[in-house]
Amino acid sequence: NAGVTQTPKFRILKIGQSMTLQCAQDMNHNYMYWYRQDPGMGLKLIYYSVGAGITDKGEVPNGYNVSRSTTEDFPLRLELAAPSQTSVYFCASSPTSGGANEQFFGPGTRLTVL
Amino acid sequence: DAKTTQPNSMESNEEEPVHLPCNHSTISGTDYIHWYRQLPSQGPEYVIHGLTSNVNNRMASLAIAEDRKSSTLILHRATLRDAAVYYCILRLKTNTGTASKLTFGTGTRLQVTL
């Protein structure tokens, strides 16, 4: 199993540009999550999904959109990039809900907006 | 949401045990206590979790106070590869109750020296 994969690893955007961060998992997990991590801080939840076709907002959803057309893929879209979106983005998945289940994280995408 | 409090940093010598404390005085009865760690330039990695009883796995042990208001992650023999930021997290349901998010603080940065 590859686990959770993310592309690209690094990206530099200009203000106002748009891009899609890709996330895929091959563990047949229903639950998927997007987090961002600013320098020296913990992770904050952007969006999550409980299955194909179902998504919901997390703590910091403004400026982002998501879709979940398949179990495997959960892309994150930035429509109008702003410097405040400079961060490291992590995708994660878990098999079910519930407090006893661990989340599996991808390696992250480092995004810089200039 | 219940919060956790951890020391900002700790140091350990290699091959010695490490005890990483976490306070969670407002924990609710159904909150699981999770520990994740983040190695430099990587995504978070699950370490261990528990509810009421002490837990052991191949990576670490988790000691939970009887009143559940605090816990301690124990690395039995620290190695250089254990140098990371360790996060103590209460595994909560989201507001909709359909997924269980992780709320990250700033964690404890563990330095391991020879």
Side-chain angles (χ1 to χ4, degrees):
Chain A
N1 283 355
V4 178
T5 57
Q6 293 183 238
T7 56
K9 285 187 169 52
F10 304 93
R11 184 73 186 268
I12 298 174
L13 283 182
K14 294 182 179 177
I15 294 172
Q17 286 185 320
S18 61
M19 76 165 292
T20 299
L21 282 68
Q22 301 291 345
C23 174
Q25 52 93 9
D26 62 0
M27 297 173 283
N28 201 33
H29 288 171
N30 285 326
Y31 295 84
M32 296 187 75
Y33 311 81
W34 273 106
Y35 295 87
R36 61 175 284 173
Q37 185 174 32
D38 298 332
M41 306 297 288
L43 282 70
K44 293 186 178 178
L45 183 65
I46 305 172
Y47 271 96
Y48 65 94
S49 169
V50 302
I54 307 170
T55 63
D56 205 349
K57 296 177 181 178
E59 298 174 76
V60 290
N62 291 344
Y64 307 95
N65 280 302
V66 293
S67 60
R68 184 98 180 269
S69 57
T70 66
T71 299
E72 295 77 19
D73 300 299
F74 190 39
L76 178 71
R77 179 86 178 157
L78 283 71
E79 289 295 347
L80 290 170
S84 60
Q85 293 177 306
T86 294
S87 192
V88 182
Y89 291 84
F90 292 101
C91 180
S93 71
S94 64
T96 63
S97 179
N101 290 286
E102 66 179 278
Q103 288 186 11
F104 296 81
F105 284 81
T109 293
R110 185 176 296 274
L111 176 66
T112 301
V113 182
L114 300 174
Chain B
D1 290 350
K3 294 194 184 303
T4 62
T5 303
Q6 300 177 252
N8 287 335
S9 63
M10 292 184 67
E11 287 186 21
S12 173
N13 294 323
E14 199 177 22
E15 308 272 315
E16 289 187 358
V18 181
H19 291 234
L20 298 166
C22 181
N23 287 319
H24 29 78
S25 58
T26 59
I27 190 171
S28 72
T30 55
D31 288 336
Y32 283 81
I33 301 159
H34 280 243
W35 284 81
Y36 282 72
R37 72 179 186 180
Q38 188 172 20
L39 301 170
S41 300
Q42 295 189 27
E45 172 188 33
Y46 168 82
V47 177
I48 200 166
H49 78 272
L51 186 60
T52 56
S53 304
N54 295 344
V55 184
N56 300 299
N57 66 19
R58 64 175 179 82
M59 289 181 71
S61 296
L62 177 61
I64 301 172
E66 200 169 326
D67 63 6
R68 299 208 329 125
K69 293 185 177 182
S70 65
S71 61
T72 302
L73 178 71
I74 302 165
L75 306 179
H76 296 287
R77 288 179 64 200
T79 70
L80 295 176
R81 289 183 298 177
D82 291 321
V85 178
Y86 286 79
Y87 296 99
C88 169
I89 300 166
L90 301 183
R91 191 70 187 271
L92 304 168
K93 291 290 187 182
T94 61
N95 290 339
T96 61
T98 57
S100 186
K101 68 177 182 179
L102 297 174
T103 301
F104 286 80
T106 53
T108 297
R109 183 174 297 278
L110 176 66
Q111 290 182 291
V112 181
T113 55
L114 293 170

